[in-house]
């Protein structure tokens, strides 16, 4: 059984009288442990697809089955619950909470899930060690480089032991060396912790690292490369 | 970290400039209300004290019908057997003193000018137990029961250009509506510091007035002291239960507040004006908070989107902003209390000298230096007000933040 089954999903945006078909008839299966790149030029629908999988938005048609549950039209409260417990997010612009230091940023999702106890706080340090930031725990985000911030974001995305991490262009605001380093860290986490990753990118160098590649063009799947495609 | 409260507190700190504006907007109000209430309470306490000390005593008794015609100070509506009644009331435990009086309308003349006055005939010793009379004398001496003399105010003395030892002609109608005149020596000059008393009132001994007004032993007024104006109601009720129904049928027993209606109305209208004024100021503060916090919400859209993405509920988002408002409110309350208390303490211990012109326009006897009387009420009241203002101010921005669509919030710069 797939972790995620995307079934005939379309997404339209209405801009005044014109309708933008951001995604058209998308069918994808994602298996547990996949490390997937969603590649495609700007405007091809990568963000839209990740938002739909991440329950941040709802499709115009079709359904998204996550762990055998249709999550494509959940009420806000339940979608929030799914995100808090099953999903992790990494953003292009890092999006750390500026008033919290590195440790607190990673710890914050524990608080949301009321798991903020001494035991789980050990995981914060452990994850920060894994991403190589153990000496930066007390630093504020604005004292870190972009690459360092993104590593904090990776640790934050992992703290609640999610099934799936969604990363929308996680390397787009980084130089290519740092970007590749970030993808390496994600891949390492994927291997060590077994967490499924879906990240989007328009950078072919970054796509290389993925074990499975989904190419989008104009809101449609152009081709899929990699293991056990459906 | 650990709680939303700490996140909120740090955000208040992060947006220092706006937070300070919001804090000032609320704390200025709290400061002003705390200080003003202390001052105004002092004002009220002082006027009540002085009204009862100078003018009304605590309880008054008149024959039925007198009060309706008090303007003309009728001499034909008198208290029956006033001496017996006085002795009876004097024995009541909550009554500390009783004095009989005759209120009469008259005029005084220095042979050149004649000025209309309110005459009060008094039993000097008993009168002095109820009112500040002896201590108000600034020249000469207080009256004795057998004096053929008069006490006048300093302003009246000035208007008549007379002094202690000079003689005045006192004119009035007698009980039987005939005109009468008596020559009286000015025994003393009093000053209460406000014109209503110092220009218009004269005091003569009851004994002299009895002949001069042809009263045949009657009086039209009896004044009672309860020791302090706080004990008025207790004494008032005691008198009402002690007297027989037949007696009560013929007289009216009134607490002093019945004679201070002007003051009571002033207090009420002053209070209403202040509530309106502070209401407007607080509303402005609330709008200020709504404005600045809405800017915070807009600027922090992406942060809101991020928090929603990683699993904070709408409620959680609005909690963060509401907590920020509450923290702002609490800081503002503490600052407002602090500075309000400083001014209130200054008013309480040092007092505020009132400008001389002020006394030309008031008909409430207040002291030349007003002292604050602080109370817990203004602290509780402003505490609640500050929190409510902060909550209302924070509510709308918080709701706006909570209602944002996650994707839209994430897309904002
Ligand atoms: N909120 C929106 N309203 C209208 N059109 C949108 C919106 N979001 C995305 N689109 C359109 O949908 C298409 C796909 O966008 P997007 O998913 O952001 O692509 P990508 O992430 O690959 O650059 C684009 O044509 C874009 O203009
Ligand atoms: Mg995009």
């Amino acid at each position: 059984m797939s972790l995620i089954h995307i079934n005939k999903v379309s997404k339209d945006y209405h801009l005044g009288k014109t309708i933008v078909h951001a995604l058209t008839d998308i069918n994808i299966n994602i298996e547990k442990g996949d490390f997937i790149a969603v590649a495609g030029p700007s405007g091809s629908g990568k963000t839209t697809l990740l938002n739909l999988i991440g329950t941040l938005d709802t499709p115009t048609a079709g359904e998204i089955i996550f762990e055998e549950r249709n999550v494509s039209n959940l009420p806000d409260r339940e979608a929030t619950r799914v995100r808090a417990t099953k999903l992790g997010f990494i953003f292009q612009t890092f999006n750390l909470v500026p008033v919290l230091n590195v440790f607190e940023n990673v710890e914050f999702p524990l608080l949301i899930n009321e798991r903020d106890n001494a035991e789980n706080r050990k995981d914060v340090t452990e994850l920060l060690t894994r991403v190589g930031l153990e000496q930066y725990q007390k630093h504020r985000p604005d004292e870190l480089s972009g690459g360092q911030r993104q590593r904090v974001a990776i640790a934050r995305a992992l703290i609640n032991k999610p099934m799936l991490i969604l990363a929308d262009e996680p390397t787009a605001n980084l130089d290519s060396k740092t970007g590749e380093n970030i993808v390496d860290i994600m891949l390492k986490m994927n291997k060590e912790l077994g967490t499924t990753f879906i990240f989007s990118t328009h950078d072919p160098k970054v796509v290389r690292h993925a074990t499975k590649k989904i190419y989008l063009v104009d809101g449609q799947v152009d081709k899929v490369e990699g293991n056990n495609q459906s | 970290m650990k709680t939303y409260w700490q996140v909120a507190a740090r955000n208040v700190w992060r947006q220092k400039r706006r937070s300070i504006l919001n804090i000032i907007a609320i704390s200025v109000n709290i400061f002003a209300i705390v200080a003003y209430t202390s001052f105004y309470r002092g004002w009220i306490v002082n006027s009540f004290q002085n009204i009862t000390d100078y003018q009304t005593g605590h309880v008054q008794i008149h024959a039925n019908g007198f009060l309706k015609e008090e303007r003309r100070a009728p001499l034909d509506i008198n208290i029956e057997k006033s001496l017996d009644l006085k002795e009876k009331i004097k024995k009541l435990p909550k009554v500390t003193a009783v004095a009989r009086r005759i209120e009469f309308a008259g005029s005084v003349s220095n042979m050149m000018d004649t000025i209309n006055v309110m005459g009060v005939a008094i039993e000097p010793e008993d009168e002095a137990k109820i009112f500040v009379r002896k201590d108000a004398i600034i020249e000469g001496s207080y009256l004795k029961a057998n004096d053929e003399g008069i006490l006048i105010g300093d302003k009246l003395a000035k208007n008549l250009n007379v002094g202690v030892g000079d003689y005045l002609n006192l004119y009035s109608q007698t009980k039987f509506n005939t005109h009468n005149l008596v020559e009286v020596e000015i025994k003393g000059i009093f000053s209460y510091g406000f014109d209503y008393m110092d220009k218009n009132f004269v005091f003569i001994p009851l004994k002299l007035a009895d002949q001069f007004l042809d009263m045949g032993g009657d009086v039209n007024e009896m004044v009672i002291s309860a020791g302090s104006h706080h004990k008025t109601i207790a004494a008032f009720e005691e008198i009402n239960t002690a007297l027989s129904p037949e007696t009560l049928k013929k007289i009216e027993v009134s607490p002093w507040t019945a004679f201070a209606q002007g003051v009571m109305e002033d207090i009420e209208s002053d209070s209403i004006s202040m509530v309106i004024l502070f209401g407007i100021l607080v509303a402005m503060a609330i709008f200020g908070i709504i404005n600045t916090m809405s800017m915070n919400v807009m600027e922090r859209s992406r942060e809101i989107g991020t928090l929603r993405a990683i699993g904070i509920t709408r409620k959680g988002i609005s909690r963060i902003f509401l907590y920020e408002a509450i923290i702002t409110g609490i800081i503002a309350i503490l600052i407002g209390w602090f500075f309000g208390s400083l001014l209130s303490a200054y008013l309480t211990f040092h007092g505020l000298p009132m400008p001389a012109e002020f006394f030309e326009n008031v008909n409430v006897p207040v002291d030349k230096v007003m002292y604050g009387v602080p109370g817990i009420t203004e602290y509780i009241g402003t505490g609640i007000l500050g929190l409510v203002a902060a909550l209302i101010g924070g509510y709308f921005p918080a709701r706006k933040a909570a209602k944002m669509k996650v994707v839209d919030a994430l897309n904002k710069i």
Side-chain angles (χ1 to χ4, degrees):
Chain A
M1 193 65 216
S2 305
L3 176 66
I4 298 167
H5 183 60
I6 299 170
N7 190 15
K8 294 183 188 134
V9 161
S10 297
K11 176 71 181 177
D12 297 338
Y13 290 109
H14 296 260
L15 275 177
K17 276 185 182 152
T18 58
I19 297 176
V20 183
H21 301 289
L23 292 175
T24 312
D25 197 26
I26 305 287
N27 294 287
I28 305 171
N29 275 334
I30 294 160
E31 308 299 330
K32 227 172 175 180
D34 273 353
F35 191 73
I36 299 175
V38 177
S42 180
S44 58
K46 305 181 294 293
T47 298
T48 305
L49 179 61
L50 264 61
N51 285 346
L52 292 179
I53 299 172
T55 75
L56 300 176
D57 210 347
T58 53
T60 313
E63 53 187 20
I64 295 163
I65 311 295
F66 182 81
E67 289 189 315
E68 300 180 35
R69 180 183 185 198
N70 185 352
V71 296
S72 48
N73 262 307
L74 291 178
D76 182 79
R77 185 192 293 264
E78 282 172 51
T80 307
R81 188 91 208 112
V82 169
R83 294 198 296 273
T85 56
K86 307 272 184 190
L87 302 179
F89 287 85
I90 297 168
F91 305 91
Q92 180 180 339
T93 48
F94 325 126
N95 295 15
L96 301 179
V97 179
V99 295
L100 303 180
N101 66 30
V102 166
F103 182 94
E104 292 163 340
N105 260 287
V106 178
E107 183 193 19
F108 198 67
L110 292 175
L111 174 71
I112 297 169
N113 283 338
E114 292 169 359
R115 296 177 57 233
D116 194 15
N117 51 45
E119 178 120 6
N120 290 328
R121 272 195 289 276
K122 281 196 209 120
D123 295 350
V124 176
T125 316
E126 199 227 287
L127 277 171
L128 284 171
T129 311
R130 278 179 190 273
V131 298
L133 288 176
E134 63 272 34
Q135 305 102 307
Y136 292 87
Q137 302 195 19
K138 296 278 174 254
H139 286 60
R140 288 287 170 104
D142 57 11
E143 297 163 348
L144 302 180
S145 70
Q148 288 171 325
R149 288 187 213 188
Q150 201 59 305
R151 283 190 269 157
V152 178
I154 293 171
R156 176 176 70 180
L158 283 163
I159 189 66
N160 276 326
K161 303 183 169 70
M163 299 300 301
L164 170 67
I165 288 181
L166 294 157
D168 190 14
E169 310 236 18
T171 63
N173 273 27
L174 302 171
D175 62 70
S176 56
K177 193 169 152 255
T178 314
E180 286 192 59
N181 173 248
I182 286 297
V183 178
D184 282 340
I185 290 173
M186 296 200 311
L187 184 58
K188 185 177 132 205
M189 296 300 149
N190 167 258
K191 294 224 171 88
E192 290 175 4
L193 305 172
T195 314
T196 311
F197 276 79
I198 305 176
F199 64 96
S200 69
T201 181
H202 58 262
D203 181 354
K205 271 192 280 182
V206 174
V207 179
R208 279 206 314 256
H209 298 259
T211 54
K212 181 171 171 178
K213 295 137 196 168
I214 298 166
Y215 293 91
L216 290 184
V217 175
D218 290 338
Q220 286 176 297
V221 178
D222 186 52
K223 63 180 172 176
V224 178
E225 287 175 1
N227 56 354
N228 59 329
Q229 59 257 64
S230 49
Chain B
M1 186 189 60
K2 317 303 178 278
T3 68
Y4 284 26
W5 283 110
Q6 279 161 294
V7 176
R10 289 189 198 175
N11 278 319
V12 170
W13 180 247
R14 163 157 63 136
Q15 319 244 316
K16 258 180 248 101
R17 197 174 295 229
R18 286 181 198 158
S19 300
I20 288 170
L21 280 178
N22 289 338
I23 287 168
I24 290 174
I26 299 180
S27 59
V28 160
N29 281 292
I30 290 175
F31 157 80
I33 294 172
V34 165
Y36 176 82
T37 309
S38 165
F39 176 80
Y40 196 65
R41 189 183 293 109
W43 169 279
I44 290 172
V45 167
N46 185 246
S47 9
F48 285 4
Q49 189 70 49
N50 290 353
I51 287 169
T52 53
D53 280 354
Y54 302 166
Q55 293 185 325
T56 64
H58 301 131
V59 179
Q60 293 191 5
I61 292 177
H62 303 91
N64 270 337
F66 176 87
L67 289 175
K68 253 187 232 134
E69 300 190 47
E70 198 184 11
R71 264 166 204 283
R72 70 168 175 99
L75 298 174
D76 53 351
I77 308 175
N78 295 323
I79 301 168
E80 261 179 34
K81 294 189 189 141
S82 61
L83 258 179
D84 295 349
L85 187 63
K86 177 184 173 184
E87 291 311 313
K88 188 162 186 189
I89 291 173
K90 215 164 143 182
K91 291 201 185 87
L92 297 175
K94 284 173 182 148
V95 169
T96 57
V98 186
R100 299 182 304 145
R101 324 165 97 201
I102 300 165
E103 277 193 19
F104 64 96
S107 56
V108 287
S109 162
N110 63 357
M111 315 306 155
M112 292 168 48
D113 299 312
T114 303
I115 294 176
N116 289 332
V117 292
M118 271 304 303
V120 185
I122 59 174
E123 299 175 303
E125 281 316 305
D126 285 334
E127 174 88 2
K129 287 178 197 157
I130 300 170
F131 297 99
V132 174
R133 293 281 180 249
K134 285 181 181 165
D135 287 348
I137 301 294
I138 54 167
E139 252 179 80
S141 58
Y142 187 59
L143 288 176
K144 293 190 188 67
N146 294 321
D147 280 345
E148 301 222 331
I150 190 167
L151 301 178
I152 65 172
D154 57 348
K155 295 275 163 58
L156 182 60
K158 204 172 154 213
N159 289 345
L160 289 168
N161 198 22
V162 293
V164 172
D166 289 343
Y167 282 82
L168 290 174
N169 279 345
L170 175 63
Y171 301 90
S172 179
Q173 288 196 326
T174 67
K175 181 178 176 181
F176 304 102
N177 290 332
T178 59
H179 291 272
N180 202 359
L181 148 71
V182 64
E183 193 184 33
V184 283
E185 185 189 350
I186 299 173
K187 289 284 182 186
I189 291 173
F190 59 80
S191 174
Y192 287 101
F194 76 108
D195 290 2
Y196 178 68
M197 291 285 287
D198 298 339
K199 264 185 187 161
N200 299 316
F201 276 73
V202 301
F203 297 93
I204 60 171
L206 189 68
K207 205 165 167 189
L208 172 66
D210 187 55
Q211 298 155 20
F212 167 55
L213 301 170
D214 218 350
M215 293 296 281
D218 282 343
V219 299
N220 58 13
E221 182 167 276
M222 197 177 288
V223 195
I224 293 148
S225 172
S228 142
H229 69 80
H230 302 292
K231 299 180 187 162
T232 299
I233 296 304
F236 171 75
E237 282 168 358
E238 191 184 48
I239 293 163
N240 271 305
T241 38
L243 298 182
S244 69
E246 294 80 54
T247 315
L248 285 171
K249 237 180 255 165
K250 293 175 201 159
I251 59 172
E252 288 178 84
V253 184
S254 322
W256 67 271
T257 43
F259 309 104
Q261 265 157 16
V263 177
M264 296 301 186
E265 281 161 21
D266 284 355
I267 289 171
E268 193 169 315
S269 71
D270 284 355
S271 308
I272 292 170
S273 326
M274 288 321 285
V275 166
I276 292 171
L277 176 64
F278 284 120
I280 293 169
L281 291 175
V282 169
M284 281 164 60
I286 290 173
F287 278 114
I289 295 170
I290 292 176
N291 250 310
T292 49
M293 284 201 58
S294 294
M295 283 194 257
N296 293 349
V297 168
M298 293 319 290
E299 282 176 16
R300 279 157 59 189
S301 288
R302 196 155 67 191
E303 182 181 327
I304 293 164
T306 306
L307 295 177
R308 292 282 286 121
I310 68 175
I312 291 191
T313 54
R314 291 186 191 281
K315 238 192 214 144
I317 297 294
S318 69
R319 246 167 75 190
I320 290 176
F321 284 93
L322 275 183
Y323 287 180
E324 288 178 26
I326 292 171
I327 289 166
T328 307
I330 289 172
I331 295 171
I333 290 165
L334 294 177
I335 291 175
W337 279 353
F338 176 75
F339 287 104
S341 301
L342 282 188
L343 182 51
S344 174
Y346 177 83
L347 291 171
T348 304
F349 295 112
H350 181 270
L352 182 70
M354 304 301 286
E357 312 86 72
F358 173 80
F359 293 93
E360 289 162 15
N361 305 316
V362 293
N363 52 4
V364 186
V366 287
D367 290 351
K368 298 227 166 358
V369 179
M370 293 301 306
Y371 289 91
V373 176
I376 191 76
T377 355
E378 57 262 28
Y379 291 91
I380 296 171
T382 50
I384 294 170
L385 184 74
L387 273 186
V388 169
L391 277 174
I392 298 174
Y395 173 78
F396 296 98
R399 203 176 63 158
K400 188 165 164 185
K403 281 196 165 171
M404 280 184 180
K405 276 192 69 182
V406 187
V407 274
D408 295 343
L410 278 169
N411 282 335
K412 291 240 174 64
I413 314 108

